[in-house]
Amino acid sequence: MTKIRTRYAPSPTGKMHVGNLRSALYEFLIAKHEGGDFMLRIEDTDQERFVEGATEIIYRTMAKTGLIHDEGPDKDGGYGPYVQSERMKTGIYMKYAKQLIESGEAYYCFCDKERLASLKTEIVEGKEIMIYDKHCLHLSKEEIEANLAAGKPFVIRQNNPQEGTTSFQDELYGEITVQNSELDDMILIKSDGYPTYNFANVVDDHTMNITHVVRGNEYLSSSPKYKRLYDAFGWQVPVYVHLPLITDENHKKLSKRSGHSSFEDLIDQGFITEAIVNYIALLGWSPEDNCEIFTLDELIEKFDYHRISKSPAVFDIVKLRWMNGEYLKAMDFDKFYEMAKPYLEKELPATMDLRKIAAMVKTRIEVFPDIAAQVDFFAKLPEYDVEMYSHKKMKTDAASSLAVLKDLLPILEAQEDYSNDALYQTLVAYVAEKEYKNGYVMWPVRTAVSGKQMTPAGATEIMEVLGKEESLNRIRKGIALLEQANA
Ligand code: GLU
C-alpha cells in the first residue's frame, strides 16, 4: 500500500481562517490516522494577494494547534522546495506547461488586455468570467515563434475540448460529470512567469506524491479542469475531499463580519486552542458514537474521513462557548490560574487573593473574558436595589434582612478570624441560636457584601477575600440602605 501523504497548502494572504484551519486539521488527521506524512506547502504564486507576515501566522498557528508537519519549508523531506515561488525558480512549472503545449493540451496566448476586454463574459457563481475564444490556439508555428522572439508577453492556457464530458471522483460528492463546453481555457502560466494556483496545485500534488487533497468546495467547479491536466500527463488523481461551506448562524458564509472567522479572532475572544481545534473537527465531521470532546490524539485515533458530511457546517458560537467551558472545568488548576490571571488582574487589586477568586470562577465561566462580570463586585460594591434582599424561597424581605444584619454587625465586628471556615461557623452558630434557616441569614449577608444576585461563591467565602474592614463597610452600607427603605 502506498504511504498516505497529505498536504496543507495555504496561501499567505492574512489570518488563519476557520475554514483553512479545518482543512489543515482534516489533512493532518487523515495522514496521522494512517501513520502517513503531513506536509506544509506555501502557495505564494499570487503575488498581489501576498500579505507580509502571513507565513509566520501559518507557522505559529500550526505549532500552537499541534498540527505538526513532517515536511515543509523548514523541514526538508526530499520533496522540496516547499514554497511555490521557490519551486518556480527551478523551472518545474514551465517544464510541464511546455510538455502540454507539445501534446496539444495547452497553448501560448498573446492576446493583449484590450482584446481580452472585448470578449464575451458570463456570470459563473455570481462572478463575471471572461470566456476566452481560443483565438491564439489557431496561430501558426511561425507566428508563435516570431512573437516569442520579439519578447511579446504571453500566458499559457489549457486547451479544453468543446465536445464531450469530463468526470472525476470526489469522496463526498461522488462522481461529478461536466460538459467540456463549460470548461474555459484557464491560464496555467501567467504573464509574470508564475503558475496559477490552478496549474501549480496539480503539478505540486503529483510531484510531491500527495495521496489525499482536502480543500473547500469552492474548488469543486475547477476540479474537472485539474482532472484533464492529470489525464494529459498520465498521472494518478489524488483522493479529493471537498469540504462543505462553513456558515454563520444565519446560514451565510462565515465572514470577517461575524467576528469569529479566524483562529486569531477566537483566541482574542478568550477561547483556548484545544477547544477551538476540538470544535473545528466537528464542523462537518462526527464520530460513530457522537462523542464530542476529544484531545488531538483521540481525534487521530477516531478520525475517518468517510464520515465527513456534505451538508453545510454551521459555526455555532454558543456551542463553542459551551465546549470551551468544559475544557476550562477540566483544566489543571495551576494552568487555569496562569491563564486567568491577566483577566483577574485587569479587574482586581493585586492585594486580593486572586488564586482563591480563580478557584471560585473556574467552573462558572465559558471563556476568560466572562471573568470580568463574575468578579467585578470584589473591586467595588455595585449600586444595588434594596429589592434584592427579598427572596421568596429564603423567606427574606427588607425588614427581616435589616434585623439579621443589625444583629450580626456587632458579632462580626468582634470576630478576629476572617477565614471562610471561621466566618461560616459564626454564622451557622447564629442561625442555630435563633432557630432560623441557613438561607434566611446567608442571603442578606451575601447580598450586602456583593450587591449581586448571583455570585461565584457564598457569603463567607466572599468575606474572606474582602477582608474584615471591607466586609464590615459593606454590611453597614446594607443596613443604611435597608433603614432608608424601611423608614
Ligand atoms: N492555496 C489554496 C488556498 O489557500 C489551497 C487550496 C488547496 O488546498 O488546494 O485556498
Side-chain angles (χ1 to χ4, degrees), residues 53-298:
T55 312
E56 287 65 39
I57 293 181
I58 293 165
Y59 280 118
R60 221 185 307 131
T61 310
M62 293 183 67
K64 203 168 167 188
T65 50
L67 306 185
I68 307 300
H69 50 282
D70 303 291
E71 283 172 37
D74 55 342
K75 266 186 215 167
D76 189 12
Y79 290 88
Y82 294 85
V83 179
Q84 283 181 335
S85 57
E86 288 169 29
R87 291 176 79 70
M88 185 193 80
K89 290 182 195 137
T90 69
I92 182 172
Y93 305 115
M94 199 50 112
K95 177 184 108 183
Y96 283 114
K98 284 191 173 155
Q99 195 176 313
L100 291 176
I101 292 178
E102 296 283 299
S103 63
E105 299 285 343
Y107 59 93
Y108 288 106
C109 171
F110 300 94
C111 289
D112 58 20
K113 266 202 220 119
E114 288 69 36
R115 176 156 201 287
L116 294 175
S118 71
L119 293 176
K120 266 202 325 215
T121 59
E122 255 179 35
I123 304 292
V124 180
E125 287 169 6
K127 278 192 215 138
E128 194 173 17
I129 305 279
M130 186 269 298
I131 309 296
Y132 186 64
D133 61 358
K134 288 185 181 281
H135 174 80
C136 288
L137 178 64
H138 310 297
L139 295 179
S140 68
K141 223 173 162 201
E142 293 70 35
E143 281 172 298
I144 295 169
E145 267 157 26
N147 283 343
L148 291 176
K152 216 171 167 187
F154 66 84
V155 299
I156 296 177
R157 290 184 183 274
Q158 185 179 21
N159 180 21
N160 283 318
Q162 286 171 307
E163 289 90 41
T165 56
T166 298
S167 301
F168 76 100
Q169 195 69 28
D170 178 86
E171 267 310 303
L172 266 65
Y173 295 84
E175 185 172 84
I176 296 185
T177 300
V178 298
Q179 297 294 326
N180 289 337
S181 56
E182 288 171 20
L183 305 177
D184 65 307
D185 284 358
M186 67 178 182
I187 295 176
L188 306 179
I189 302 283
K190 296 182 278 187
S191 57
D192 61 4
Y194 276 93
T196 54
Y197 161 76
N198 290 328
F199 188 48
N201 91 84
V202 171
V203 171
D204 290 345
D205 285 341
H206 172 74
T207 54
M208 297 170 126
N209 266 351
I210 297 304
T211 58
H212 293 64
V213 168
V214 180
R215 62 184 165 212
N217 66 9
E218 66 269 27
Y219 291 100
L220 204 55
S221 61
S222 301
S223 294
K225 292 181 276 191
Y226 308 153
K227 170 66 166 32
R228 296 196 63 81
L229 292 173
Y230 280 99
D231 288 350
F233 287 118
W235 293 342
Q236 197 189 337
V237 186
V239 174
Y240 277 130
V241 185
H242 285 97
L243 299 175
L245 191 72
I246 302 176
T247 72
D248 63 15
E249 294 85 341
N250 304 316
H251 302 282
K252 296 252 162 57
K253 190 174 174 207
L254 200 63
S255 71
K256 262 192 206 155
R257 230 174 314 139
S258 71
H260 43 258
S261 64
S262 74
F263 178 73
E264 293 83 357
D265 291 341
L266 294 170
I267 292 291
D268 288 348
Q269 287 166 28
F271 290 97
I272 63 165
T273 305
E274 293 84 346
I276 299 172
V277 171
N278 188 155
Y279 182 69
I280 285 180
L282 299 175
L283 283 175
W285 172 83
S286 58
E288 226 162 349
D289 56 10
N290 280 322
C291 190
E292 292 192 304
I293 306 278
F294 305 99
T295 62
L296 195 55
D297 283 340
E298 286 163 347

Side-chain angles (χ1 to χ4, degrees), residues 321-332:
R321 282 184 62 95
W322 165 79
M323 192 172 273
N324 203 73
E326 294 301 300
Y327 271 84
L328 296 185
K329 277 181 206 152
M331 194 182 270
D332 162 77

